[in-house]
Amino acid sequence: MAAISASQVKELRERTGLGMMECKKALTEADGDIEVAIENLRKSSGLKAAKKAGRTAAEGAVVTRVAEDGSYGVVVEINSETDFVARDDNFKAFADKIAGAFFAAKSEDVAAVMSGELETVREQLVQKIGENISVRRCAVVEAAEGGLVGEYVHGGRIGVLTELKGGNSEVAKDVAMHVAAINPSVARPEDMPQEELDKEKAIILAQPDMAGKPEQIAEKMVEGRLKKYLAENSLTEQPFVKDPNQSVAEFVKAAGGEVLGFIRFEVGEGIEKEEVDFAKEVMEQAGRS
């Protein structure tokens, strides 16, 4: 059985709002898997959907580029080991150069774009700064006929590209800003993977207030809660961050547009970073000296 760390308990508490002992017990039963612990808590206690993990595990920057006519755009993540380096002018210049290269190539193939001169530039920067620098990923969004791509970058750490049919660049940017702030799962309810719906349905059926309900009533309750789940997690159905009295879809429609999709990159998401105990490290160094 995996040992449960204080940082795991802390993250689960932050995401669920539950007490320390309850979180530790849930993590122990889930063998340290935070996502499994959250699923089990939702089944056993009727816990609402937990907050998404807010802790990122790597540093660096996200950069976007969009064509003047809005026909296509790219979003690129470039990683460094520390936030200090991510704020360095040399790193920022490198990130801009990389984004320009992906934009010119109109390609998501990191290995292909980084071959040759750019790889040499990266190696030189690593030697100069003394930290590993890597280009992690890129996404390209091309607008459909009659559509356009918008962009928004928040603090250099979150980058969003949105695709609209109709509308204008300001509307596309406002939608991208909403995506950066709220982080929806999908663009439209119909885009939600069936696997996610099945998982949510299983969680709903396992909640205490579903026990003993007649089949027809249970089905209606599941249907209503799934509908709410889709509304909360679909971009078009969410209350628009700048005007909660209208949905994102309504905001875009008022400008003659329709939401088709989005891409959202956040620095370090999905990367597991080794935690360093600096006090222990200093003591070990002192013991060897």
Side-chain angles (χ1 to χ4, degrees), residues 156-227:
R157 298 184 62 85
I158 299 174
V160 178
L161 296 178
T162 50
E163 183 191 358
L164 304 185
K165 181 180 179 181
N168 57 62
S169 60
E170 281 304 309
V171 171
K173 180 181 178 180
D174 279 344
V175 174
M177 190 183 298
H178 174 100
V179 172
I182 307 301
N183 194 9
S185 299
V186 294
R188 300 166 295 188
E190 58 265 33
D191 298 330
M192 186 67 72
Q194 188 60 45
E195 179 184 349
E196 291 299 316
L197 289 175
D198 291 343
K199 184 192 292 186
E200 187 64 21
K201 184 176 180 179
I203 289 171
I204 293 168
L205 287 170
Q207 290 172 350
D209 65 343
M210 297 295 293
K213 291 286 190 301
E215 187 177 345
Q216 282 187 319
I217 293 177
E219 284 180 3
K220 285 185 178 179
M221 289 174 69
V222 169
E223 185 181 337
R225 291 183 188 182
L226 280 179
K227 187 175 180 180

Side-chain angles (χ1 to χ4, degrees), residues 89-124:
D89 288 340
N90 293 295
F91 178 85
K92 289 179 179 178
F94 173 73
D96 283 338
K97 185 180 183 72
I98 294 303
F102 277 96
F103 181 76
K106 210 173 182 178
S107 170
E108 298 181 348
D109 191 331
V110 173
V113 175
M114 288 301 297
S115 63
E117 180 194 352
L118 286 179
E119 177 57 21
T120 302
V121 173
R122 186 194 70 82
E123 290 173 354
Q124 290 172 344

Side-chain angles (χ1 to χ4, degrees), residues 250-270:
E250 288 168 341
F251 164 71
V252 176
K253 186 177 181 181
E258 177 188 351
V259 176
L260 296 182
F262 70 87
I263 293 287
R264 183 186 189 275
F265 279 6
E266 184 167 352
V267 169
E269 60 188 350

Side-chain angles (χ1 to χ4, degrees), residues 143-154:
E145 188 176 346
L148 77 159
V149 175
E151 66 181 325
Y152 176 74
V153 176
H154 184 76

Side-chain angles (χ1 to χ4, degrees), residues 8 16 22 37-38 42 106 118 129 141 156 162 193 215 263 289:
Q8 286 174 301
T16 63
E22 194 170 359
I38 288 172
R42 292 188 63 199
K106 210 173 182 178
L118 286 179
I129 290 179
V141 175
T162 50
E215 187 177 345
I263 293 287
S289 60

Side-chain angles (χ1 to χ4, degrees), residues 66-89:
V66 170
E68 284 188 22
D69 62 359
S71 58
Y72 78 100
V74 300
V75 55
V76 190
E77 180 183 358
I78 304 100
N79 293 129
S80 60
E81 292 182 42
T82 64
D83 181 54
F84 177 78
V85 164
R87 298 195 303 269
D88 179 81
D89 288 340

